[in-house]
Amino acid sequence: MTAALSLVASHVLAQAKVLDPGRHHVLHPAAPQAGHIEWLYWFIFWILFAVFVLMIAAFAGAGAKARVVASGPLPIVEKDEEADHRAGWAVGSAMAITVATLFVVLVLSVVTGKRVEGLTSKNPVTIQVTGHQWWWEVSYPNSQADQTVTTANEIHVPVGSPIVILTNSKDVIHSFWAPNVTGKRDLLPGYSSAFWFEIDQPGIYHGQCAEFCGLQHAHMGFSIIAESVDEFQAWQQQQLKNAAEPSTSEAIRGREVFLTHACLMCHTIRGTDAGSRFGPDLTHVASRNMIASETLPNTAGALAGWIVDPQRIKPGTQMSPNPLSPDDLQAVVAYLQALH
Ligand code: HEC
Ligand SMILES: [Cu+2]
């Protein structure tokens, strides 16, 4: 029994390691922008901590005094002008200190906001992020249309380079939040805005939609994959290629299935007849770690389960169920898994 349990546990751990959900922590900044926010966090934390200690001390002092009084004979209350005066001063100065502290916090919040937004550059990596219910469309615009990379939910960026994210939304308000990188940014339908960051440590940083956007809001994760400039460029070159030609007979059949079923009405696979932008671009779907906005690992089993019945995995998702025969399903999965 314990052996079986530990086997299950080690299996789960091994899986967890493969999936690497990425880091997701406000207090472990990987970019100067998140560093400024962390600094403000600790500043406010220590002020509140000091206020907490002072309040508890004041209550404890008052409590001790009250007990001494209660155990003796009832005091005769006399008017004590001097004590009233002292109390007035104490309350007045406490209020003044409170207002001054709040003012300092206000000023520092504004300064932090300015510092987070301070980055600009003539030569940034520009990434367009469009929110959808419930996934993230990611593209790297280029003046030549055939040089534009389009992917979903996984944002590759070079370390140490200024990045500008242009935001938009197809439907409702979403919010882009990768706490190790920078603060939350709303994605508003029909309204484009921009924000900047620069990551200084390579790694995978997990992000999450931070504005309730409907039923599957919690299944709207993404990741920022920060890598060296060389790795980033290699990734970009690979993504620019058209879809790989299927090489096995099963994958060839899978492409046939894809192009003769509803899939092509919603997805693009560059180099084939499928050119719809309704759902994620699948040209290089096999290069991604996860599918369905970080809901499932990108494995054969998960792909098959997703394709047959996405509504069971993400109820309300805009992908319709595809009751394929087992052979067709196996073939289409083999095809997708070859799209590196
Ligand atoms: C009605 C439109 C529609 C049809 C038809 C459709 N899809 Fe999708 N598909 C979507 C949408 C929208 C998503 C994103 C869903 C999400 O993450 O919430 C998606 C996601 C996916 C993903 C995950 C991609 C990723 O990177 O997360 C795969 C794989 C996929 N579809 C394959 C297929 C295949 C294969 C077919 C045909 C058998 C198909 N789809 C038919 C709309 C569609
Ligand atoms: Cu959301």
Side-chain angles (χ1 to χ4, degrees):
M1 175 71 182
T2 35
L5 269 182
S6 73
L7 195 71
V8 169
S10 66
H11 183 71
V12 168
L13 280 178
Q15 280 260 315
K17 210 165 166 191
V18 171
L19 290 183
D20 186 1
R23 284 178 269 166
H24 188 89
H25 209 299
V26 189
L27 302 183
H28 293 155
Q33 289 68 30
H36 299 321
I37 294 171
E38 190 207 12
W39 185 90
L40 183 67
Y41 172 87
W42 283 117
F43 184 85
I44 295 177
F45 175 88
W46 287 118
I47 288 184
L48 295 185
F49 186 74
V51 169
F52 174 76
V53 169
L54 287 174
M55 293 291 291
I56 296 296
F59 274 122
K65 218 171 182 179
R67 192 150 351 110
V68 173
V69 172
S71 59
L74 276 181
I76 299 141
V77 181
E78 284 171 27
K79 192 153 175 57
D80 181 347
E81 295 255 333
E82 202 179 316
D84 281 357
H85 192 67
R86 259 187 285 131
W89 262 100
V91 172
S93 16
M95 276 167 66
I97 293 174
T98 306
V99 171
T101 311
L102 286 176
F103 188 72
V104 170
V105 169
L106 176 72
V107 169
L108 284 172
S109 300
V110 173
V111 170
T112 303
K114 287 257 177 291
R115 287 166 81 191
V116 168
E117 278 159 25
L119 179 70
T120 53
S121 154
K122 284 215 164 57
N123 202 11
V125 175
T126 305
I127 306 174
Q128 170 78 50
V129 174
T130 307
H132 293 254
Q133 282 172 320
W134 292 279
W135 58 284
W136 309 84
E137 182 183 345
V138 179
S139 72
Y140 296 68
N142 192 292
S143 48
Q144 287 158 279
D146 64 341
Q147 297 291 305
T148 297
V149 166
T150 304
T151 180
N153 310 319
E154 294 186 2
I155 307 173
H156 286 247
V157 300
V159 165
S161 310
I163 314 287
V164 59
I165 304 268
L166 309 176
T167 66
N168 210 326
S169 166
K170 268 279 180 308
D171 34 52
V172 298
I173 302 178
H174 301 278
S175 182
F176 183 98
W177 188 42
N180 300 68
V181 176
T182 188
K184 295 174 186 168
R185 297 295 167 141
D186 281 359
L187 274 58
L188 307 173
Y191 178 82
S192 187
S193 67
F195 66 93
W196 295 69
F197 60 80
E198 178 173 328
I199 296 183
D200 45 26
Q201 292 160 40
I204 300 182
Y205 304 104
H206 183 255
Q208 182 66 42
C209 182
E211 177 74 36
F212 181 71
C213 57
L215 203 54
Q216 294 301 325
H217 165 64
H219 286 145
M220 195 172 161
F222 63 95
S223 50
I224 298 182
I225 300 169
E227 53 204 0
S228 70
V229 175
D230 287 349
E231 285 170 312
F232 172 71
Q233 278 169 354
W235 173 83
Q236 207 169 22
Q237 287 312 314
Q238 174 63 21
Q239 298 285 314
L240 278 172
K241 292 184 186 152
N242 276 351
E245 280 294 310
S247 56
T248 64
S249 59
E250 189 171 45
I252 292 173
R253 179 152 166 243
R255 178 169 65 181
E256 210 40 46
V257 173
F258 193 94
L259 297 175
T260 51
H261 286 76
C263 324
L264 93 166
M265 294 180 7
C266 298
H267 292 287
T268 290
I269 296 185
R270 268 183 295 120
T272 73
D273 288 343
S276 168
R277 294 243 159 268
F278 183 79
D281 188 312
L282 301 179
T283 310
H284 297 286
V285 65
S287 70
R288 307 204 262 273
N289 295 319
M290 309 272 289
I291 58 163
S293 226
E294 312 262 294
T295 306
L296 295 172
N298 193 357
T299 58
L303 277 168
W306 171 258
I307 292 167
V308 171
D309 198 356
Q311 296 297 328
R312 198 182 179 107
I313 293 158
K314 269 172 99 164
T317 174
Q318 304 199 22
M319 173 158 158
S320 42
N322 299 279
L324 301 175
S325 74
D327 284 352
D328 284 355
L329 182 61
Q330 202 117 23
V332 86
V333 167
Y335 174 52
L336 293 178
Q337 287 207 297
L339 297 179
H340 290 288

